[in-house]
Amino acid sequence: STWWGGAALIDVHEGGPRLVAEIGVHIEDSHAARLLPLVEGLLATAAWPRTSLDAYVAVRGPGSFTGIRVALGLMSGFALASARPCVGVGTLDAMAEAYGPAAAYRVPLLDAGRGEVYGARFDADGSPPVDVRPVWVGDPAFAVERGVDGVVFGNGARVHETRLRGAGYPGPIGRAVTSVAAAAGRI
C-alpha cells in the first residue's frame, strides 16, 4: 500500500515466526503489474509449493487505494481458492513492527499526498506493536504536537522533514522501513 511493494514467507511451525524469504521492490508505476510476479518469485526462491501455505496476510492501509485494493484482492483470492484464512494488518502497525524496538515511542509517518501524512504512535518495543495514539491523517506537525518522546520515521517523515523540524521536532528522523511484508506476517 506504499511506494515499497513486497512479499514474505514466514514459518510459524517451529519456535515462533521465522522469516524464510522476502522480496521487495520500489514501485513507481503499478502495484497490480508487480505484486503477482513478486509472489511467484518469492515462492520460487524459497522452493515452497503454493499448497504449503497455511494463511495469507495483506497490509490493509492506510496507503495507496490501488495498492491496498490489489493486495487485498490478490491475497483474498488466494485464500478463497485454497480455503485458507486471510488476515489484514494495518500499514502503520507493520511499519512499527518492521522498525523494531526504539528507545521511546515509534511514530511511523506515511506520505498521504497534498501535504498530509498518515501517522500513529506505538509503544517503544512491543511485538506486535501496541498503539498509544490511533491512526490519524493530517498535517505532519500533528505528529509532534504535545511533543514526541521517540522516533519519527517512514517515507512521510523523510518527505516532510522540514515541516517536522519547523514544528519543533528535534529528534531523529528514522529510516524508511522496507520489510513491511515480513513484519505484517509476524504480526
Side-chain angles (χ1 to χ4, degrees):
S1 65
T2 69
W3 57 271
W4 184 261
L9 292 173
I10 307 290
D11 186 349
V12 296
H13 294 291
E14 295 181 29
R18 180 182 61 85
L19 179 63
V20 173
E22 182 176 20
I23 189 168
V25 64
H26 182 18
I27 296 182
E28 295 178 13
D29 50 4
S30 167
H31 286 80
R34 299 289 190 97
L35 189 56
L36 188 55
L38 278 176
V39 172
E40 293 292 331
L42 180 68
L43 289 168
T45 298
W48 277 22
R50 288 186 203 120
T51 56
S52 68
L53 301 179
D54 295 327
Y56 298 89
V57 175
V59 176
R60 61 172 161 56
S64 147
F65 174 74
T66 300
I68 293 167
R69 185 177 48 145
V70 167
L72 290 174
L74 184 62
M75 293 301 109
S76 295
F78 284 163
L80 183 64
S82 65
R84 302 280 199 273
C86 184
V87 177
V89 172
T91 305
L92 298 170
D93 300 72
M95 289 173 66
E97 175 75 13
Y99 190 84
Y105 292 122
R106 294 172 284 180
V107 184
L109 297 179
L110 188 60
D111 186 32
R114 299 183 178 175
E116 295 184 322
V117 295
Y118 300 107
R121 185 181 295 188
F122 294 91
D123 63 341
D125 56 6
S127 181
V130 176
D131 70 335
V132 178
R133 180 192 278 171
V135 176
W136 53 270
V137 62
D139 188 311
F142 186 68
V144 297
E145 273 184 8
R146 302 181 210 136
V148 170
D149 182 18
V151 61
V152 175
F153 62 95
N155 79 324
R158 295 272 180 220
V159 168
H160 300 287
E161 181 172 2
T162 302
R163 289 175 68 191
L164 290 167
R165 299 287 183 211
Y169 178 65
I173 299 290
R175 67 192 185 283
V177 293
T178 56
S179 56
V180 175
R186 286 192 306 273
I187 291 172

